[in-house]
Amino acid sequence: MDVPNIVIVGGGFAGVEAARGLERALAPTDARITLVSPTDYQLYLPLLPQVAAGVVTPQSVAPSLRRILRRTELVPGAVIGVDPGAKVCVVRKITGEVVDLSYDYLLLTPGSVTRTFDIPGLPDEARGMKTLAQAVYLRDHVIAQLDLAAATSDEDERAARLQFVVVGGGYAGTETAACLQRLTTAAAKRYHPRIDPGLIKWHLIDIATKLLPELGDKLGASALRMLSGRGVQISLKTTVASVTEDKVTLTDGRVLPSRTLVWTAGVAASPLVDSLGAETVRGRIVVEADFKVPGLDGVFALGDAAAVPDLAKGDGSYCVPTAQHAARQGRHAAKNLAALLGGQPMTPYKHKDLGLVVDLGGHDAVSKPLGIGLKGVSAQVVARGYHLYALRTGVARFRTGANWFLNAVAGDDFVRTGFLAGRKGTLRDFEHTDVYLTPEEVAARTRA
Ligand SMILES: Cc1cc2nc3c(=O)[nH]c(=O)nc-3n(C[C@H](O)[C@H](O)[C@H](O)COP(=O)(O)OP(=O)(O)OC[C@H]3O[C@@H](n4cnc5c(N)ncnc54)[C@H](O)[C@@H]3O)c2cc1C
């Protein structure tokens, strides 16, 4: 069948919504839809901290792409380069085999990776919170620290194993510190009578002057009070100067003996963006308000990887990298592409932010739906209701709801899976940022 091939790169919030929208808007005789993704699920990242804390299981936040999509063809792999001139993607399958995939239209939605800085030791020691494997690994690692601390008679080692450092006071870092602090406190109380609870220390560090700046001053201050009340030590205007296997040195001069540094200090667009040789702003690919990449025929970009003009703000800024924008951009891009194929005009994307929910575990939460500031139980109800609504399949919603119920009545067993034992599990190990080709390498391959 000689129909245009639409290739979507990435099966996250933007990619999946685009594929669903295209399946609805176009008949199989209008276009072929192909989605390239290293995973066969759509990861619901906002609940990753709860996976790390064992409140929900990994399966609950990983709805199957095959359940969500009807006729989109799935290619299991990652696009490691794009030749926009030849209209070819270079795909590295999950087996390692590298193949070329031609497209007529390309939707780039590869999302983002953890943003790092030139800090000594960071690439080798920091653990991230961007993939399912990272969340599961972090859980294993934290539980292992408790087990090892309980088993050692060396007081220095015990203190270091019970001191945890999280960098990043946005929603990812704040939720991670909050959820894992609850895990360690509950685990020590229930299963480790030999551990002095006073030895368990959680630090939340950020270079900014406020926690959760996205929520405004009042709610950010509420979250700070909730966490401080639970014993989390929050240090603002501070970051990490260096890190080794057993200590974290902060820019204010403090040296924290610790075996755990969780790094959630922002995101950077997928390195795939660099292989196109297109214009970028702060690493994100520059697009027009209808997602077209200027100068590249048939190429669109959206989600975290793209700098989409924020027309709702109208101040020349770009949409912030959130699931809220990515999913809506995906739906809008599908409409635009269907319009383009039908000879109709495309329309610009405009969406006013609906707010943010931050679950700090237990009854602690802060949220700002439609500009209304909430904290405590009401915020928690809004947060959990929003997550259930936003999860893509009924099965995932049911699993997540059942997990919350079971965790509330029966608690956690605090067991390690052991699947990743023996691997350090650093950012590089899990985010595969070193597999991408340069524009020259792509051209040499596709035009050989
Ligand atoms: C811990 C955490 C909590 C968060 N909480 C919230 C929240 O509460 N509210 C909110 O709005 N946002 C939240 N976010 C941000 C939100 O998850 C992202 O903005 C959103 O996922 C971006 O969607 P996306 O489709 O651009 O990328 P993603 O959803 O990350 O999807 C990218 C997809 O592309 C795939 N991929 C990557 N590289 C390639 C490649 N080379 N080839 C093929 N496929 C590739 C990935 O495997 C993935 O499937 C949170 C993020 C984190 C990490």
Side-chain angles (χ1 to χ4, degrees):
M1 219 172 21
D2 194 16
V3 294
N5 190 18
I6 302 173
V7 173
I8 302 171
V9 179
F13 284 91
V16 166
E17 289 305 323
R20 285 179 82 224
L22 287 167
E23 285 188 355
R24 284 197 195 125
L26 299 173
T29 46
D30 293 332
R32 200 173 139 199
I33 309 165
T34 308
L35 189 146
V36 187
S37 171
T39 63
D40 55 1
Y41 55 79
Q42 182 206 30
L43 182 60
Y44 188 77
L45 283 103
L47 285 177
L48 276 189
Q50 296 196 30
V51 171
V55 176
V56 298
T57 63
Q59 288 80 3
S60 306
V61 302
S64 155
L65 289 181
R66 291 197 163 80
R67 227 185 240 279
I68 302 171
L69 302 172
R70 298 273 170 256
R71 65 181 175 89
T72 300
E73 294 167 35
L74 301 182
V75 177
V79 172
I80 56 171
V82 178
D83 183 340
K87 291 201 160 190
V88 168
C89 294
V90 183
V91 179
R92 185 174 185 260
K93 291 192 184 174
I94 52 175
T95 53
E97 185 194 355
V98 177
V99 295
D100 292 346
L101 175 67
S102 299
Y103 65 83
D104 296 291
Y105 297 96
L106 182 67
L107 257 64
L108 288 171
T109 70
S112 51
V113 294
T114 303
R115 183 169 54 133
T116 54
F117 299 92
D118 202 8
I119 295 172
L122 198 68
D124 298 321
E125 302 301 336
R127 297 176 163 85
M129 184 51 80
K130 279 288 287 174
T131 67
L132 199 53
Q134 282 172 330
V136 174
Y137 181 83
L138 183 59
R139 171 174 170 77
D140 269 26
H141 172 80
V142 168
I143 294 173
Q145 300 316 299
L146 292 173
D147 291 344
L148 291 164
T152 185
S153 50
D154 179 332
E155 285 183 16
D156 290 342
E157 181 190 343
R158 181 178 303 141
R161 291 201 183 278
L162 295 176
Q163 179 144 254
F164 305 89
V165 183
V166 179
V167 181
Y171 41 69
T174 305
E175 287 187 331
T176 300
C179 291
L180 287 172
Q181 185 263 352
R182 279 183 70 85
L183 176 148
T184 50
T185 311
K189 201 165 152 192
R190 194 153 166 193
Y191 292 133
H192 294 293
R194 288 188 58 213
I195 292 181
D196 170 5
L199 276 182
I200 301 176
K201 295 197 174 86
W202 280 89
H203 296 265
L204 181 57
I205 312 282
D206 200 306
I207 191 74
T209 51
K210 295 174 201 158
L211 204 61
L212 293 168
E214 309 89 334
L215 285 176
D217 288 357
K218 239 172 118 182
L219 286 180
S222 297
L224 193 141
R225 273 196 304 277
M226 283 178 198
L227 291 183
S228 304
R230 279 162 44 181
V232 177
Q233 297 180 31
I234 298 166
S235 307
L236 299 172
K237 298 190 223 162
T238 308
T239 188
V240 171
S242 66
V243 52
T244 64
E245 202 176 335
D246 55 8
K247 65 175 178 297
V248 179
T249 304
L250 302 181
T251 46
D252 62 10
R254 277 179 294 162
V255 179
L256 306 175
S258 173
R259 308 281 174 123
T260 313
L261 173 66
V262 186
W263 187 263
T264 66
V267 293
S270 160
L272 175 61
V273 163
D274 297 332
S275 83
L276 273 92
E279 193 191 340
T280 57
V281 51
R282 291 171 147 219
R284 298 168 92 188
I285 189 159
V286 170
V287 296
E288 289 162 12
D290 56 10
F291 312 118
K292 263 198 327 254
V293 180
L296 302 188
D297 183 37
V299 182
F300 300 77
L302 45 149
D304 280 10
V308 180
D310 192 340
L311 298 187
K313 281 198 187 133
D315 58 359
S317 62
Y318 299 100
C319 296
V320 287
T322 61
Q324 195 185 129
H325 274 299
R328 279 169 180 79
Q329 289 172 3
R331 290 197 277 276
H332 198 105
K335 279 189 199 146
N336 272 356
L337 205 47
L340 185 69
L341 289 174
Q344 301 294 317
M346 299 198 293
T347 55
Y349 170 79
K350 185 174 180 181
H351 167 68
K352 191 168 180 305
D353 198 59
L354 296 177
L356 189 68
V357 296
V358 180
D359 191 331
L360 302 174
H363 294 145
D364 292 340
V366 282
S367 57
K368 202 174 183 184
L370 305 168
I372 306 162
L374 300 173
K375 56 184 179 178
V377 177
S378 55
Q380 182 66 280
V381 170
V382 171
R384 294 201 166 180
Y386 176 77
H387 290 317
L388 290 182
Y389 158 78
L391 277 162
R392 232 334 112 229
T393 66
V395 175
R397 286 184 195 121
F398 184 78
R399 280 205 184 106
T400 302
N403 289 162
W404 281 334
F405 174 74
L406 202 58
N407 191 268
V409 296
D412 189 352
D413 282 346
F414 309 109
V415 290
R416 287 174 274 124
T417 62
F419 292 150
L420 297 158
R423 260 179 92 184
K424 205 158 181 182
T426 57
L427 296 174
R428 208 173 12 218
D429 289 338
F430 284 125
E431 297 192 19
H432 309 292
T433 44
D434 49 0
V435 297
Y436 293 92
L437 305 178
T438 62
E440 296 72 34
E441 287 168 333
V442 175
R445 180 188 160 84
T446 55
R447 299 183 191 187

